[in-house]
Amino acid sequence: MIFIDIARLLIETVAALLGVTLLLRAFMNFIGMPGRNPFAQFVLALTDWLVRPLRRVVPSAGRVDTASLLAAYIIALLMLILTLLVIGAASTGWSWTQLLLAAAVQVLRWSLYMVFFLVLLHVILSWVNPYAPVAPGIALMVRPFLAPFQKIIPLVGGVDLSPIALIVIVQILLLVVNSSGF
């Protein structure tokens, strides 16, 4: 039925946007990204309502923002539960163990999509507007992912092909994760 598909689309879209933003927050904290960047300010403003209360209960472990990671996991779990309720599959026999594992797989999937879109945004900004206010923050976030490829793949005519290699690897990993059955 079309209404079920619409509800499912809305649930998955809102959860993905919030989940990826929470993962971005955790990653920005891990790499030590300054909060002055407009992109960082956007991410912090969008996720503060959920992360700040969790920080009172779940402390950070060094540079690992456990509250943001836990919030992303909770959002993934809620998304799966709501989706099962909407499609009427709540009574199909999903165990809590399967549900918890599926939520972890969903967070992994969001992480891979986050890397993919960060690299894509970095490439577009580097060609179209390398002096955009968000460009230094995006470059800082993709540097840890691109650095290993940049050591192996030389520049070709002054063009860095390492983002292509990274995108292919991320797409392969997404195929593996999506074929996991969760």
Side-chain angles (χ1 to χ4, degrees):
M1 180 171 248
I2 190 74
F3 295 116
I4 292 173
D5 292 337
I6 291 170
R8 189 173 173 188
L9 173 75
L10 291 174
I11 291 167
E12 290 175 1
T13 302
V14 169
L17 289 173
L18 186 55
V20 170
T21 308
L22 288 161
L23 292 172
L24 276 170
R25 181 182 180 127
F27 183 62
M28 289 185 320
N29 190 46
F30 183 76
I31 62 172
M33 184 172 175
R36 297 179 311 275
N37 185 284
F39 190 72
Q41 290 174 355
F42 169 74
V43 169
L44 292 174
L46 199 59
T47 57
D48 260 353
W49 65 274
L50 185 55
V51 174
R52 282 190 187 260
L54 277 176
R55 281 220 173 109
R56 293 184 201 128
V57 181
V58 181
S60 291
R63 294 185 332 185
V64 178
D65 186 1
T66 52
S68 295
L69 293 174
L70 178 62
Y73 183 77
I74 291 169
I75 294 297
L77 190 58
L78 286 174
M79 179 199 76
L80 291 170
I81 291 169
L82 287 174
T83 302
L84 287 174
L85 289 173
V86 164
I87 63 174
S91 60
T92 59
W94 272 67
S95 70
W96 277 104
T97 307
Q98 289 174 312
L99 205 56
L100 295 173
L101 183 59
V105 170
Q106 185 62 48
V107 170
L108 176 61
R109 189 177 290 122
W110 287 342
S111 300
L112 291 169
Y113 278 118
M114 177 190 77
V115 172
F116 173 80
F117 285 111
L118 279 175
V119 171
L120 192 62
L121 184 60
H122 171 68
V123 168
I124 291 169
L125 282 174
S126 70
W127 282 65
V128 175
N129 189 4
Y131 303 108
V134 297
I138 302 294
L140 181 66
M141 285 190 283
V142 297
R143 188 175 302 136
F145 300 111
L146 289 178
F149 294 98
Q150 289 170 336
K151 290 178 183 174
I152 299 169
I153 302 170
L155 294 177
V156 178
V159 176
D160 183 12
L161 298 178
S162 61
I164 295 171
L166 179 58
I167 286 174
V168 168
I169 297 296
V170 167
Q171 290 298 315
I172 289 169
L173 290 172
L174 278 168
L175 284 173
V176 170
V177 169
N178 289 337
S179 67
S180 69
F182 288 104

